[in-house]
Amino acid sequence: MRLMTLTDGTESLLVDDRPVDDCLFAAPLPYGLTLDDAVAVRAREVEPGDLVVALTFEESGTRQVSHCPGPFPAAPRPPAACPCEGCAECDELDEWTLADHRRVADVAWRYVCLCPSERDEGCVIEPSNRPVIVVRAERVERAKATRKPIRRPFTAAWSVEVEAGSPEEAARLGAERVREQLGAMSTMRWSVSEAGGEPCTVTVPVAPEEVGA
Ligand SMILES: [Zn+2]
Ligand SMILES: [Zn+2]
């Protein structure tokens, strides 16, 4: 538990530690960042690249902090300028706007979309004066640059295409091709993936003495 004061000094909020005993919060903050690196700002003060780690809401007159299971880099913009083509959050805001035509002009300054909708998640639309907790982009970049990567499981795959009459023959031909090709190749293209990530292609030299030369 810590006390964070908004950068404009107008409000302080009590921020619980980030949960660790909840499967939603299996991952710690990235790049070795902690809440000590975070600051409380108003939603309208969030800047591109700031890492949003917690949102807030009001409950029976007190400010509550809600940690984001998946902290996300902010790409703030007025809701009307959001590339989202419609999500539950946008629809809700549209309803609010349509309920009273005078609100059309208000939306732009009253609300900010911190992050456009992605896959199954809607936009993150916050009232622009609501406190949110972020790690400033510059601090995130510094942590990224100095952080030693965490060792974690990867799958590295190299494949050959062969024509064969059975799996056994394909495997045998594959093995032959590997032997042939290893002699002739100077580089290998590997498909590397980690849990939950998209595979990427990495080219490395074949001969071990060339590695890290
Ligand atoms: Zn949006
Ligand atoms: Zn949306």
Side-chain angles (χ1 to χ4, degrees), residues 192-203:
V192 182
S193 56
E194 61 182 305
E198 296 283 307
C200 59
T201 305
V202 183
T203 304

Side-chain angles (χ1 to χ4, degrees), residues 27-75:
L29 293 183
Y31 321 121
L33 292 166
T34 70
L35 283 178
D36 291 336
D37 300 303
V39 291
V41 297
R42 303 224 178 249
R44 62 169 172 271
E45 297 165 336
V46 174
E47 291 181 26
D50 286 354
L51 187 71
V52 181
V53 298
L55 300 173
T56 67
F57 58 98
E58 216 156 310
E59 197 176 63
S60 41
T62 56
R63 179 84 55 198
Q64 304 287 326
V65 173
S66 163
H67 291 274
C68 304
F72 57 91

Side-chain angles (χ1 to χ4, degrees), residues 84 86-87 90 117 123:
C84 174
C87 70
C90 284
S117 61
C123 287

Side-chain angles (χ1 to χ4, degrees), residues 18 32 38 43-44 54 65-66 97 107 111 114 118 122 125 131 145 147 149 152 156 163 176:
R18 195 173 155 78
R44 62 169 172 271
V65 173
S66 163
T97 313
V107 170
Y111 290 94
L114 293 179
E118 260 176 27
I125 299 174
R147 176 79 175 155
R152 56 203 191 275
E163 210 163 279
E176 269 170 32

Side-chain angles (χ1 to χ4, degrees), residues 171-193:
R172 193 170 46 74
L173 291 174
E176 269 170 32
R177 287 273 294 283
V178 170
R179 274 192 293 274
E180 274 167 29
Q181 290 202 8
L182 277 180
M185 283 188 304
S186 59
T187 59
M188 293 175 90
R189 282 159 61 86
W190 288 80
S191 168
V192 182
S193 56

Side-chain angles (χ1 to χ4, degrees), residues 75 77-87 89-90 93 112-117 122-125:
R77 57 194 118 203
C82 175
C84 174
E85 284 167 3
C87 70
E89 302 301 316
C90 284
L93 190 61
V112 56
C113 177
L114 293 179
C115 185
S117 61
C123 287
V124 181
I125 299 174

